[in-house]
Amino acid sequence: MTIRNWFKFAFRALIIGGVVTGLMSIIVRWGDFYAQHFSNGEWGEAFGGLLWFVFLGFTMSMICQMGYFAYLTVHQIGVNICRSLTLWNWIQILLIIVAVIDVILFRFKPYAHSANDWLLYIGLLVVLIIAASLTAIKKVKMTGKKHILISSLFFMIFVSVIEWLIALWVRSSGGNEYITILLFPIIAVNAFQLLELPKYNAKSAEDIKKREERRKARSEQEDQNTKVKKTQEENQNNKKTKRK
């Protein structure tokens, strides 16, 4: 990927993370934060809170981008070690199951003190799995390669859970709100990266091809100019010789 296209890709992912986090903060924390400031005419505090969540979304987007490129490396290493895509897919399925069980037993259960807590946690996990499944299916349709379904699910579920741990570890006041808010930018940014990266790679290949064509044309033009200049010099030399 060229630097220009990588910058466009990273910038779009950054914006998606910031916008989604900002919108989710308004939805989740409207009653206990935004509504109070708006009713009291404290517009600066409300805007400052929104801006803080947007920058939090930028941070999550950067984490997701690092996670995606780390996943690409791990995926290639896993395929090479297993020497079989089928075996690597089974390992990924096992890791997905382990990640889901870990979240339920060690991240949700110790802090689920009521039925509402369980309803929230399981609901968010279902949202993650459904979003991951839809993204993976779309990826298969875009590429026409059925074997990437498991890899796509692995990235969207396992890697997203790893990135989600940042919020799952927050168990102070407002912990559930952060768990809810930060899940959605993770899903949005990861889905964008999984679906859109091939387009930027193709655009980079096209840009490189055009660059090589321009370089070749420039080289040919320089050769032509050199030949013309050489011919002119030879003609001038011939004229001088005839005069003598």
Side-chain angles (χ1 to χ4, degrees), residues 158-169:
F158 182 84
V159 178
S160 294
V161 166
I162 298 300
E163 295 161 352
W164 198 21
L165 288 177
I166 296 174
L168 294 173
W169 283 332

Side-chain angles (χ1 to χ4, degrees), residues 62 109 133 139:
M62 295 176 67
K109 185 178 179 180
S133 301
K139 180 71 173 181

Side-chain angles (χ1 to χ4, degrees), residues 31 133 145 154 176 182 209 212 219 238:
S133 301
K145 301 176 181 178
F154 176 78
N176 286 346
L182 294 183
K209 183 179 179 181
E212 292 297 327
S219 178
N238 290 336

Side-chain angles (χ1 to χ4, degrees), residues 130-146 148-149 152-153 156 191-192 194-196 198-199:
I130 292 176
S133 301
L134 294 176
T135 304
I137 292 171
K138 186 173 181 179
K139 180 71 173 181
V140 171
K141 291 181 178 179
M142 288 175 59
T143 60
K145 301 176 181 178
K146 295 182 180 180
I148 67 173
L149 177 66
S152 300
L153 285 173
M156 288 299 300
F192 165 77
L194 187 65
L195 298 176
E196 295 296 318
K199 297 180 181 179

Side-chain angles (χ1 to χ4, degrees), residues 118-130:
W118 274 115
L119 185 62
L120 172 65
Y121 296 152
I122 299 302
L124 292 176
L125 188 59
V126 170
V127 168
L128 173 60
I129 293 174
I130 292 176

Side-chain angles (χ1 to χ4, degrees), residues 28-235:
V28 174
R29 301 208 57 187
W30 175 260
D32 68 333
F33 181 76
Y34 291 103
Q36 294 180 7
H37 288 302
F38 282 135
S39 62
N40 295 330
E42 299 171 342
W43 301 95
E45 287 77 0
F47 179 76
L50 177 61
L51 193 62
W52 188 87
F53 277 108
V54 169
F55 277 101
L56 180 61
F58 291 162
T59 302
M60 293 305 303
S61 177
M62 295 176 67
I63 293 172
C64 290
Q65 291 180 55
M66 290 186 291
Y68 183 50
F69 286 101
Y71 156 76
L72 294 176
T73 302
V74 171
H75 176 73
Q76 191 61 45
I77 294 174
V79 172
N80 292 335
I81 292 177
C82 295
R83 297 181 181 276
S84 169
L85 187 58
T86 301
L87 177 58
W88 173 235
N89 282 340
W90 279 110
I91 293 175
Q92 289 182 103
I93 292 173
L94 177 61
L95 290 174
I96 291 172
I97 296 172
V98 170
V100 172
I101 293 175
D102 175 82
V103 167
I104 294 174
L105 294 182
F106 300 107
R107 315 300 169 185
F108 291 164
K109 185 178 179 180
Y111 304 99
H113 303 299
S114 65
N116 288 334
D117 289 336
W118 274 115
L119 185 62
L120 172 65
Y121 296 152
I122 299 302
L124 292 176
L125 188 59
V126 170
V127 168
L128 173 60
I129 293 174
I130 292 176
S133 301
L134 294 176
T135 304
I137 292 171
K138 186 173 181 179
K139 180 71 173 181
V140 171
K141 291 181 178 179
M142 288 175 59
T143 60
K145 301 176 181 178
K146 295 182 180 180
H147 66 272
I148 67 173
L149 177 66
I150 301 302
S151 298
S152 300
L153 285 173
F154 176 78
F155 171 68
M156 288 299 300
I157 296 177
F158 182 84
V159 178
S160 294
V161 166
I162 298 300
E163 295 161 352
W164 198 21
L165 288 177
I166 296 174
L168 294 173
W169 283 332
V170 177
R171 291 300 176 177
S172 57
S173 178
N176 286 346
E177 285 80 1
Y178 280 95
I179 289 173
T180 304
I181 292 171
L182 294 183
L183 174 63
F184 289 89
I186 291 173
I187 293 175
V189 173
N190 283 342
F192 165 77
Q193 292 183 117
L194 187 65
L195 298 176
E196 295 296 318
L197 182 63
K199 297 180 181 179
Y200 285 88
N201 285 334
K203 184 64 169 60
S204 296
E206 182 181 345
D207 291 343
I208 292 173
K209 183 179 179 181
K210 290 181 179 179
R211 184 192 305 163
E212 292 297 327
E213 290 175 351
R214 289 195 301 267
R215 186 177 298 171
K216 183 178 179 180
R218 186 164 56 248
S219 178
E220 291 176 351
Q221 183 63 40
E222 290 176 354
D223 292 341
Q224 184 66 29
N225 293 338
T226 301
K227 290 179 180 179
V228 171
K229 185 177 180 180
K230 186 176 180 180
T231 302
Q232 291 176 348
E233 290 177 351
E234 289 178 352
N235 291 336

